[in-house]
Amino acid sequence: MEYLRLSLRNIFRHRTRSIATIMVIFLGFTAIGVIGGMVNNIFSRLKAQAIIVEKLGHLTISKEGFYLNGKMDPAKYIWGKDELREIIDVVRDDPDVEIATPRLKLFGLASNGKASSIFISEAIVPSDDERLIKTPVDNRVDLTGTVTLPQQQGEEYSVAIGSELSSMLGVGEGQFVTLLTTTVDGMANAVDVNIVDVYNTGNPATNDKFILMNFGLAQQLYDADGAERIIVTLKNSDDIEKIRARLINNIAASGHSVEVMTWNELSLFYEKVYLMFSVIFGVLSMIVTIIILLVTLNTMLMAVTERSREIGTMRAIGMQQGSVVRLFCIEGGMMAVIGCILALPLLYGISGLLTVLKVTFIPPVASAPIPIMLILGPEKLVGMFALFLTAAVFSSYLTSRNIAKKKIVDSLAHIN
Amino acid sequence: MNTNVFSNTSAPVIIELKNIVKTYYFISHEIHALQGIDLKIRVGDFIAIAGSSGSGKSTLLNIISMLDTPTSGEVYCDGEDVCTMTDKVITRFRSKKVGLIFQNYNLIPVLNVLENVAFPLQIQSVKRSECLRKAKDILSQVGLSGHLEHRPAKLSGGQRQRVAIARALITEPEVVIADEPTAALDSKTGMEIIDLMRSLNESARTTFIFSTHDPRITSCVNNVLELMDGKLQYN
């Protein structure tokens, strides 16, 4: 307690210098907080983009080898009706599973009668998809950018298409488009479908070719009564790896060999974007931490030099070397604590302002704008605080350990 | 050689120096600050160490107060060989046995008078309330009861030195060592400080050793050790 009191008074002994140091820590914490909060937001939005908008769910189950060889031999990697029913039953029995829904993917040509373009189609069960898009991601349900298909009888020929594809073909809502594809055995098949929605997939790589289609229609086009994948959403995705392993075991016990992929393994860009932003954030954090370390080092070095005689006096009247170092470490640490605490209201203020202003931007590899928000996870803030505190205490330690070890008579004889 | 320099030979020895040599090395020169000092200081002594500038007064006091180590020779405090102690042990030992008064007071500017005086006890982890109670008592003995909350910068030189004396006494040391305690004061205030130290010496039998080069002070102190060129002059 005495050391705390003494340290606090020493900090405000040279107000301008201490305030400058605290300001650097304050601004550093704010800057890293803002950047970190934005990066967290981008990660969270991309996660939601993959799970909800790209409709990957949390887990995707397929026959073993599907992702390696499925395109070359689709018939081999598609489940029949009974197999599909058995596997879905096993999956739905798992207590952590919320939704298990079958899927098919079709490729082919979409035509307006005059021009054609390639399409990729994801076939969904609309009633399951209605639930999937309401899956919370990072405790947030956000229907922005989501689209699904009508569930009513007679709406099986309704599709939603990517906005870029819609532009390319010059077709829109209420108009028809012809889809030409092949069956599972490689025979040509075609159908006219009704466009009920045009939407931005959020991904420039798919926005010019994506069509969302009814699962029943896809089965007809593909001439298959089963599915090639099962999309699974979880009640709580924190233990996703544990659940994945359990599902593989349970399905294997029912006599089926499957592979289960997580959403981030299948998302085209998430991992790359995550890595890119993590590296940028890591480098920025390191630079700011080094600046804080150097600024604190400079401040403490000046303090130590100016207070040489005082340190000598303290040592002479009984203060141990370790206590001198502790005193300076507390001073450095206190400046870090004050700087970080002062930055918190500003961080939350900026966060609130961004939420109110609804500012958006289009992140790399996305085609739709996302709101700029700060996701300030307490664990991230505590981590940043610990980093800055360590930098400040370490620089104080570096500067004070030599003066603490200096001969007392030399410290007492020091002339500023 | 008679190392019992003063009369009260029945009192126990608190500090003993044996053949102390202190040599400073400056580039290629050797400066012999102390040359074979033998000295016994007994409980209750009130000793002035006199000598001109550069005679070795401060060096001798630094060695007596365990702030510095001799180049050769032995230093005993209360029978313990302090030259063999580690820094940690010697710091603890010094804080209990020795009180220090500096020429420029060396008070801690961010602490007020009461806190400055209490500080040596707080370093020893004594309870804050107990430290402050003792500090108040000692400050009243040195006549500074009315200045408890003042910062050192608000005090006169004489008042600051009284605070320094109070700080030196709070741990109830057996020896108080003062390096030129009156050098920064006018002669009247200097004499008041010497009188205060003497009265504390007489009332509590605390040993006082101080250095001075002021002949007016040495003339009114009975026990004066004269240092010349690093050697004690036994007159």
Side-chain angles (χ1 to χ4, degrees):
Chain A
M1 193 63 196
E2 289 312 313
Y3 285 96
L4 284 177
R5 187 178 287 121
L6 188 56
S7 298
L8 197 62
R9 288 191 198 172
N10 279 327
I11 286 173
F12 292 104
R13 196 170 179 171
H14 294 283
R15 262 174 222 187
T16 314
R17 190 197 300 157
S18 298
I19 288 171
T21 308
I22 289 168
M23 278 301 288
V24 170
I25 295 168
F26 164 81
L27 290 174
F29 193 85
T30 308
I32 293 295
V34 168
I35 294 165
M38 285 173 69
V39 168
N40 283 345
N41 179 51
I42 290 170
F43 289 164
S44 179
R45 299 286 172 176
L46 288 176
K47 185 178 174 184
Q49 172 83 20
I51 293 171
I52 307 298
V53 181
E54 289 180 39
K55 301 184 184 297
L56 291 173
H58 292 117
L59 295 169
T60 300
I61 303 168
S62 61
K63 276 192 176 181
E64 198 169 13
F66 171 77
Y67 286 100
L68 200 60
N69 305 310
K71 280 183 186 165
M72 302 300 293
D73 191 0
K76 191 179 167 188
Y77 292 96
I78 194 163
W79 290 303
K81 188 177 180 181
D82 295 336
E83 275 182 307
L84 180 64
R85 175 54 49 203
E86 281 172 28
I87 295 168
I88 281 194
D89 285 346
V90 171
V91 174
R92 284 178 179 161
D93 281 347
D94 191 287
D96 286 316
V97 169
E98 180 71 31
I99 302 165
T101 182
R103 289 279 176 85
L104 275 172
K105 190 175 244 90
L106 298 183
F107 306 88
L109 286 172
S111 172
N112 61 2
K114 291 176 186 168
S116 301
S117 180
I118 56 167
F119 77 87
I120 303 168
S121 174
E122 181 76 356
I124 58 163
V125 176
S127 57
D128 289 341
D129 199 60
E130 185 71 31
R131 289 168 62 207
L132 184 143
I133 62 173
K134 290 174 185 160
T135 302
V137 174
D138 293 335
N139 301 317
R140 189 183 61 235
V141 175
D142 185 1
L143 297 177
T144 312
T146 59
V147 70
T148 190
L149 296 174
Q151 298 176 33
Q152 296 85 354
Q153 285 279 324
E155 293 282 0
E156 291 82 2
Y157 292 88
S158 299
V159 296
I161 72 170
S163 53
E164 192 63 26
L165 179 62
S166 163
S167 299
M168 284 162 59
L169 292 176
V171 290
E173 281 181 39
Q175 292 182 290
F176 284 86
V177 68
T178 303
L179 304 182
L180 176 67
T181 183
T182 55
T183 65
V184 70
D185 298 320
M187 305 294 286
N189 203 356
V191 67
D192 285 340
V193 291
N194 177 29
I195 299 168
V196 293
D197 204 347
V198 175
Y199 78 112
N200 191 331
T201 62
N203 183 338
T206 59
N207 199 33
D208 61 350
K209 51 183 84 71
F210 194 77
I211 294 179
L212 192 64
M213 180 186 290
N214 189 295
F215 183 70
L217 175 63
Q219 281 184 317
Q220 282 180 42
L221 271 171
Y222 208 44
D223 192 24
D225 58 2
E228 60 185 18
R229 285 167 292 130
I230 298 167
I231 301 297
V232 177
T233 64
L234 305 174
K235 288 170 183 162
N236 182 352
S237 62
D238 292 346
D239 288 331
I240 193 163
E241 288 301 331
K242 219 166 88 181
I243 299 167
R244 163 155 72 173
R246 192 170 66 217
L247 286 176
I248 290 171
N249 286 338
N250 291 349
I251 295 168
S254 71
H256 301 282
S257 183
V258 296
E259 61 186 353
V260 180
M261 308 287 273
T262 60
W263 63 270
N264 50 321
E265 288 167 348
L266 292 177
S267 177
L268 286 173
F269 298 112
Y270 181 83
E271 287 297 329
K272 285 177 190 167
V273 173
Y274 186 90
L275 185 67
M276 181 183 76
F277 277 108
S278 295
V279 168
I280 292 170
F281 181 67
V283 170
L284 276 174
S285 301
M286 201 170 70
I287 291 169
V288 172
T289 306
I290 290 170
I291 290 170
I292 285 170
L293 194 129
L294 293 177
V295 168
T296 318
L297 197 77
N298 181 51
T299 302
M300 298 315 283
L301 200 59
M302 287 166 86
V304 162
T305 308
E306 284 171 2
R307 282 155 57 191
S308 261
R309 187 182 288 191
E310 189 179 311
I311 294 162
T313 307
M314 286 175 172
R315 293 273 295 116
I317 63 178
M319 190 178 265
Q320 298 285 359
Q321 288 179 4
S323 300
V324 172
V325 174
R326 184 166 57 159
L327 186 68
F328 280 95
C329 286
I330 291 173
E331 283 182 38
M334 270 185 157
M335 285 196 279
V337 170
I338 294 168
C340 292
I341 287 175
L342 288 177
L344 279 179
L346 180 64
L347 264 181
Y348 280 99
I350 293 170
S351 175
L353 196 67
L354 287 172
T355 309
V356 170
L357 293 177
K358 298 189 191 316
V359 185
T360 59
F361 90 116
I362 301 174
V365 306
S367 62
I370 65 166
I372 299 177
M373 290 172 72
L374 303 187
I375 296 182
L376 303 168
E379 68 287 348
K380 290 267 167 63
L381 291 176
V382 169
M384 274 163 53
F385 169 71
L387 188 70
F388 286 17
L389 184 66
T390 307
V393 170
F394 182 62
S395 56
S396 306
Y397 167 77
L398 287 180
T399 47
S400 60
R401 63 181 181 151
N402 287 337
I403 189 80
K405 282 182 185 167
K406 198 173 174 181
K407 281 177 79 174
I408 295 173
V409 284
D410 291 340
S411 295
L412 287 171
H414 182 88
I415 298 165
N416 288 323
Chain B
M1 185 183 290
N2 175 21
T3 56
N4 292 305
V5 287
F6 301 116
S7 56
N8 185 15
T9 52
S10 60
V13 173
I14 181 70
I15 287 171
E16 184 175 6
L17 307 185
K18 288 185 178 174
N19 195 24
I20 295 298
V21 172
K22 182 71 182 180
T23 306
Y24 293 109
Y25 300 93
F26 183 69
I27 312 178
S28 58
H29 297 285
E30 285 187 1
I31 299 162
H32 302 287
L34 297 175
Q35 302 182 58
I37 302 283
D38 291 291
L39 181 63
K40 279 182 182 171
I41 296 165
R42 294 176 181 277
V43 173
D45 279 348
F46 190 77
I47 303 170
I49 298 175
S52 56
S53 289
S55 60
K57 300 188 297 294
S58 294
T59 304
L60 180 60
L61 285 184
N62 284 340
I63 287 171
I64 292 172
S65 55
M66 299 172 253
L67 297 177
D68 201 359
T69 49
T71 308
S72 66
E74 294 162 33
V75 182
Y76 293 91
C77 179
D78 214 8
E80 304 259 2
D81 182 356
V82 299
C83 295
T84 60
M85 290 178 182
T86 61
D87 182 80
K88 201 167 185 171
V89 173
I90 209 167
T91 301
R92 200 177 306 128
F93 189 75
R94 181 176 56 241
S95 70
K96 293 203 166 112
K97 300 283 180 187
V98 178
L100 294 166
I101 301 166
F102 303 94
Q103 180 180 333
N104 292 310
Y105 331 119
N106 289 18
L107 300 176
I108 297 163
V110 293
L111 301 180
N112 65 29
V113 165
L114 187 64
E115 289 164 338
N116 259 293
V117 175
F119 194 62
L121 277 185
Q122 289 177 336
I123 289 173
Q124 292 178 18
S125 303
V126 176
K127 224 170 125 185
R128 182 174 164 82
S129 57
E130 175 67 10
C131 296
L132 296 180
R133 187 192 60 75
K134 271 189 107 172
K136 277 181 193 167
D137 286 350
I138 291 178
L139 281 164
S140 73
Q141 284 179 49
V142 299
L144 284 173
S145 296
H147 299 80
L148 302 184
E149 300 297 326
H150 290 177
R151 290 277 173 98
K154 301 278 180 194
L155 302 177
S156 68
Q159 287 171 325
R160 288 184 206 181
Q161 201 57 295
R162 283 168 187 267
V163 177
I165 291 169
R167 182 178 67 183
L169 290 170
I170 196 165
T171 53
E172 297 172 13
E174 289 169 57
V175 190
V176 171
I177 298 165
D179 188 8
E180 306 222 26
T182 61
L185 304 171
D186 61 71
S187 57
K188 181 173 172 283
T189 315
M191 282 312 299
E192 283 173 11
I193 291 296
I194 297 299
D195 288 343
L196 174 65
M197 285 163 52
R198 198 204 305 266
S199 73
L200 291 165
N201 164 255
E202 284 165 3
S203 61
R205 269 184 45 88
T206 305
T207 307
F208 273 81
I209 310 163
F210 63 96
S211 62
T212 181
H213 58 253
D214 186 342
R216 284 171 301 181
I217 288 171
T218 50
S219 65
C220 60
V221 176
N222 294 331
N223 306 327
V224 179
L225 278 175
E226 187 77 23
L227 256 180
M228 190 183 287
D229 297 330
K231 290 176 185 166
L232 280 177
Q233 306 297 307
Y234 296 98
N235 297 318

